[in-house]
């Protein structure tokens, strides 16, 4: 397990975007060798999607040979329901429909039940050759995808009953709390753990206790995210608020464990300074700790990606970003307001931990 902590959610999100870009570009996907990227919904990934769209526009990344597959969906919501995760993805991650997969809220023929849809999703993942990189958030109660506390760590994609705390937290997206579905389809923890690499983004103080339980407490089914401790290639990316409950020793140690791409031929996680620099992989045959490459090459303090126009403080002008061409994703105009309005709308009374 690794940790990459950042002062702000903007910087944490840019790090995740850089990591995703790095993995895709390093993989060099093509017509016959697709990169399978698993994606989340919720408020957490919004800035990452915005950054990916911006850097896609800049030509730094193409999604032409990327297949996306989503973590979960509400049972009973049709794909045109405004709160379906299908709609969320339509609005925030525009990729051609033949490259995009999501569990159906209502069964699509020939399947007649949600259970059949789940079994078919598992087959799909297998047929794609597994998930190269799984990106996800974490629930306030430690859930991952929609795997609630007490879920089996070996579970496969299935129908789950939502915890009342989760329904209450997610009610902020619905007009009326009673409209929040009671069930969801979700990749299982076993399915998630089969991914080659996992990146968990946690931002905001409301995630601090879930992050601590996931990373510092023992592996326990009451905190589904703690199952990630058994995965050998998982990185938590946090902002200062989300990591505030971690011990300093934990933070320092897990951050120092991030292998530098220049130093390790086999590592797939990059240090914060060089993660955006794919040409550096394996160029030095000695192990170095996080940041050493950049210090020795005099680049200390360099931005985390190679795009010189990636100033985290810079506002993005959406007006001219309307990408629809092959391999590109676009930014939705509604995204800014979502990002800006979401912060304070969570359930203040949630006491689920
Ligand atoms: N099922 C989703 C999860 O996939 C998501 O990671 C989590 C956190 O959501 P948010 O990012 O909005 O805090 O809860 C939701 O219920």
């Amino acid at each position: 397990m690794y940790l990459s902590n950042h002062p702000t959610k903007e910087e944490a999100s840019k790090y995740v975007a850089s990591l995703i870009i790095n993995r895709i570009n390093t993989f060099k996907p093509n017509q016959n060798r697709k990169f399978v990227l698993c994606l989340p919904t919720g408020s957490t990934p919004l800035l990452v999607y915005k950054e990916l769209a911006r850097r896609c526009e800049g030509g730094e990344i193409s999604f032409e040979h990327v297949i996306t597959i989503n973590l979960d969906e509400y049972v009973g919501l049709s794909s045109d329901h405004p709160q379906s995760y299908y709609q969320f993805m339509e609005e925030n991650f525009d990729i051609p429909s033949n490259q995009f997969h999501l569990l159906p809220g209502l069964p699509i023929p020939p399947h007649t039940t949600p259970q059949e849809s789940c079994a078919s999703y598992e087959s799909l993942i297998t047929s794609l050759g597994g998930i190269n990189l799984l990106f996800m958030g974490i629930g306030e109660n430690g859930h991952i995808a929609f795997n609630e506390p007490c879920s089996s760590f070996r579970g496969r994609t299935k129908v789950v009953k939502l915890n009342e705390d989760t329904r209450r937290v997610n009610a902020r997206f619905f007009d009326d709390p009673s409209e929040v579905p009671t069930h969801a389809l979700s990749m299982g923890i076993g399915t998630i753990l089969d991914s080659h690499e996992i990146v968990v983004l946690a931002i905001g103080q409301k995630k601090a206790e879930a992050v601590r339980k996931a990373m510092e407490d023992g592996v326990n089914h009451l905190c589904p995210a703690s199952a990630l401790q058994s995965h050998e290639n998982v990185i938590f990316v946090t902002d200062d608020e989300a990591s505030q409950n971690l011990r300093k020793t934990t933070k320092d140690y897990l951050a120092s464990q991030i292998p530098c791409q220049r130093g390790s031929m086999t590592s797939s996680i990059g240090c914060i300074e060089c993660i955006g620099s794919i040409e550096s992989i394996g160029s030095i045959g000695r192990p170095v700790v996080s940041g050493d490459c950049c210090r020795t090459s005099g680049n200390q303090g360099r931005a985390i990606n190679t795009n010189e126009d990636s100033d985290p403080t810079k506002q993005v002008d959406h007006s001219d970003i309307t990408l629809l061409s092959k391999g590109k994703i676009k930014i939705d105009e509604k995204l800014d307001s979502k990002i800006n309005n979401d912060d304070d709308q969570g359930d203040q009374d949630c006491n689920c931990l």
Side-chain angles (χ1 to χ4, degrees), residues 73-79 102-121 159 184-185:
E73 177 61 287
Y74 289 113
V75 167
L77 299 194
S78 61
S79 59
L102 204 149
L103 284 153
L106 295 175
I108 299 171
H111 305 124
T112 55
T113 65
Q115 287 76 10
E116 283 178 13
S117 304
C118 291
S120 165
Y121 212 60
V159 178
L185 308 117

Side-chain angles (χ1 to χ4, degrees), residues 67-345:
I67 302 287
T68 67
I69 181 156
N70 267 71
L71 284 166
D72 46 21
E73 177 61 287
Y74 289 113
V75 167
L77 299 194
S78 61
S79 59
D80 58 359
H81 188 287
Q83 297 313 329
S84 71
Y85 286 169
Y86 188 96
Q87 279 302 310
F88 175 95
M89 294 308 290
E90 283 271 302
E91 289 174 14
N92 298 309
F93 201 96
D94 187 23
I95 192 162
S97 57
N98 63 341
Q99 294 171 235
F100 160 76
H101 300 281
L102 204 149
L103 284 153
L106 295 175
I108 299 171
H111 305 124
T112 55
T113 65
Q115 287 76 10
E116 283 178 13
S117 304
C118 291
S120 165
Y121 212 60
E122 281 286 325
S123 303
L124 169 72
I125 294 169
T126 303
S127 71
L128 290 171
I131 295 168
N132 296 99
L133 176 63
L134 184 144
F135 165 37
M136 66 181 169
I138 180 171
E140 291 178 28
N141 65 359
H143 75 226
I144 47 177
F146 266 132
N147 294 283
E148 299 283 26
C150 299
S151 297
S152 164
F153 285 4
R154 293 191 175 192
R156 311 307 299 185
T157 303
K158 61 188 178 306
V159 178
V160 297
K161 184 174 184 334
L162 296 180
N163 183 309
E164 284 309 307
D165 292 319
T166 296
R167 292 188 69 230
R168 207 166 44 202
V169 169
N170 287 5
R172 69 190 192 277
F173 297 115
F174 291 79
D175 292 336
D176 187 308
S178 65
E179 291 175 16
V180 182
T182 56
H183 291 75
L185 308 117
S186 176
M187 261 187 210
I189 296 176
T191 318
I192 290 169
L193 291 177
D194 281 348
S195 306
H196 176 69
E197 181 176 9
I198 298 171
V199 55
V200 184
L201 177 61
I203 51 181
Q205 178 272 331
K206 287 175 190 164
K207 303 295 172 70
E209 194 53 10
V211 167
R212 188 194 66 73
K213 287 183 181 240
M215 299 183 74
E216 287 187 344
D217 276 1
V219 175
N220 187 314
H221 70 172
L222 292 178
C223 180
S226 69
L228 300 171
Q229 292 176 25
S230 67
H231 195 282
E232 62 180 2
N233 202 8
V234 56
I235 181 167
F236 275 76
V237 180
T238 53
D239 65 2
D240 278 348
E241 289 187 9
S243 66
Q244 67 187 14
N245 290 0
L246 293 174
R247 296 187 192 101
K248 184 174 183 309
T249 47
T250 307
K251 286 166 86 166
D252 290 349
Y253 183 75
L254 291 180
S256 76
Q257 292 306 295
I258 298 177
C260 169
Q261 293 182 6
R262 291 192 178 199
S264 169
M265 299 287 283
T266 54
S267 75
S268 58
I269 308 251
C271 81
I272 188 168
E273 285 84 2
C274 72
I275 191 167
S277 174
I278 60 167
E279 78 275 358
S280 67
I281 294 170
S283 61
I284 300 174
R286 66 176 179 81
V288 288
V289 297
S290 171
D292 271 8
C293 62
C294 306
R295 291 190 198 109
T296 52
S297 63
N299 285 336
Q300 192 174 8
R302 196 185 67 164
I304 62 170
N305 60 60
T306 52
N307 187 339
E308 293 303 320
D309 191 32
S310 61
D311 178 357
T313 60
K314 208 167 175 179
Q315 291 294 317
V316 176
D317 176 10
H318 287 184
S319 55
D320 59 353
I321 302 178
T322 52
L323 300 176
L324 290 170
S325 60
K326 211 174 176 193
K328 298 206 169 181
I329 56 175
K330 74 168 183 179
I331 292 172
D332 185 81
E333 301 76 25
K334 298 174 199 157
L335 188 54
D336 260 348
S337 59
K338 274 190 195 169
I339 292 166
N340 294 331
N341 292 335
D342 188 67
D343 284 354
D344 300 319
Q345 293 177 4

